[in-house]
Amino acid sequence: MTTADPTAAVLLAQGELTVRGRIREASNAALYCTVAHEGREAACVYKPVAGERPLWDFPDGTLAGREVAAYLVSEATGWGLVPPTVLRDGPHGEGMCQLWIETAPDTELLALVDREEPAPGWKAIGFAEVGEGRTALLVHADDARLRRMAVLDAVINNADRKGGHLLPTRDGRLYGIDHGVTFNVEDKLRTLLWGWAGEPLPGEAREALEILGKALAEGGPLAVSLAPLITPAEIDATRARVISLLASGTHPEPGGDWPAIPWPPV
């Protein structure tokens, strides 16, 4: 099954979930599962609300809904940057269920380089300590797919865009995962994708933001879809971020009230 299959969400929502194992590196409970329905089967990730760790700056039990909300915003842009994601009941209670993505491990999107400026085709993030008093320049690819992701993260106020949350595939697609800490009313954008900070938004980004602005208007289809998942204040803040991005016409720049880069970065 591909992520573009319009029935993927139906399979995830209605299929029988079978837990196959636990994803150990996840900070919250994340279970590798299969989901089967009417003769079809796919691999997926199931994150039960009961397995979410409390956070000081996000209400308890809301991370699964935020993951689904990020998928809905991604779909509204037309970019398809988040795998199909639904909120459903499962073996350990309500949680988010997301289609599993097989990655292309040989794709290089991030790198540490021993130089002062990025090479052609790369954008600088900043300098990082690499041990023994040495520093290296952290860079990301100057890639249109990453640039779309940077715009999506600015809209959903992603507080944790790490390198490990970027999944390139062999067919040339790029997906982002782990969107539980998003949509906060306060500015919490924390990402590795700062290479375009302050640069003009490309035309396709402005077009996508225009679409989002209309869909997020009072009574708009996206605003209605988000209502069960995040608070009215968070929907208002998302709408305001879209308006601000269109007004400035540029990628956002790091602020001073919140760490700009997640740690660890990968």
Side-chain angles (χ1 to χ4, degrees):
M1 168 168 288
T2 67
T3 56
D5 188 334
T7 65
V10 175
L11 174 61
L12 292 170
Q14 300 181 10
E16 181 180 356
L17 271 179
T18 302
V19 176
R20 303 296 183 184
R22 181 166 185 171
I23 302 171
R24 296 291 181 183
E25 60 268 26
S27 56
N28 295 292
L31 305 174
Y32 177 77
C33 302
T34 54
V35 59
H37 181 63
E38 296 183 346
R40 296 188 307 151
E41 185 174 286
C44 62
V45 176
Y46 162 55
K47 296 181 181 179
V49 171
E52 295 178 4
R53 295 181 180 180
L55 298 172
W56 68 269
D57 51 349
F58 286 85
D60 292 351
T62 67
L63 305 191
R66 295 173 193 278
E67 297 235 33
V68 180
Y71 165 67
L72 295 178
V73 173
S74 167
E75 288 298 285
T77 65
W79 288 338
L81 296 172
V82 179
T85 312
V86 302
L87 194 65
R88 59 160 294 168
D89 195 25
H92 300 283
E94 185 179 60
M96 85 86 172
C97 186
Q98 184 176 80
L99 195 66
W100 179 265
I101 300 298
E102 293 292 343
T103 62
D106 53 343
T107 303
E108 191 174 29
L109 297 174
L110 298 163
L112 278 168
V113 295
D114 188 16
R115 53 190 301 161
E116 296 294 317
E117 298 291 337
W122 294 86
K123 305 289 284 187
I125 302 168
F127 288 95
E129 293 186 9
V130 293
E132 300 179 354
R134 295 174 51 246
T135 61
L137 182 64
L138 182 61
V139 296
H140 66 68
D142 188 2
D143 186 308
R145 301 170 301 171
L146 286 180
R147 194 164 191 173
R148 289 175 175 178
M149 196 73 71
V151 174
L152 175 67
D153 285 343
V155 171
I156 67 176
N157 197 16
N158 192 351
D160 195 31
R161 175 61 74 205
K162 296 177 180 177
H165 300 167
L166 299 168
L167 305 182
T169 65
R170 295 193 184 280
D171 64 358
R173 299 293 300 270
L174 178 70
Y175 297 98
I177 60 169
D178 287 348
H179 296 110
V181 286
T182 51
F183 296 102
N184 201 298
V185 171
E186 298 179 8
D187 181 15
K188 292 185 178 291
L189 183 58
R190 187 167 60 174
T191 175
L192 288 177
L193 304 180
W194 287 117
W196 298 281
E199 293 187 14
L201 292 165
E204 69 163 3
R206 292 193 296 270
E207 292 173 6
L209 290 168
E210 293 281 2
I211 292 169
L212 285 179
K214 294 175 182 178
L216 283 166
E218 293 282 353
L222 183 55
V224 171
S225 297
L226 293 177
L229 303 169
I230 58 178
T231 68
E234 288 167 341
I235 295 174
D236 288 343
T238 304
R239 186 184 299 120
R241 287 191 293 271
V242 170
I243 292 171
S244 178
L245 286 165
L246 284 169
S248 71
T250 60
H251 287 272
E253 298 184 73
D257 298 329
W258 182 252
I261 296 175
W263 192 262
V266 177

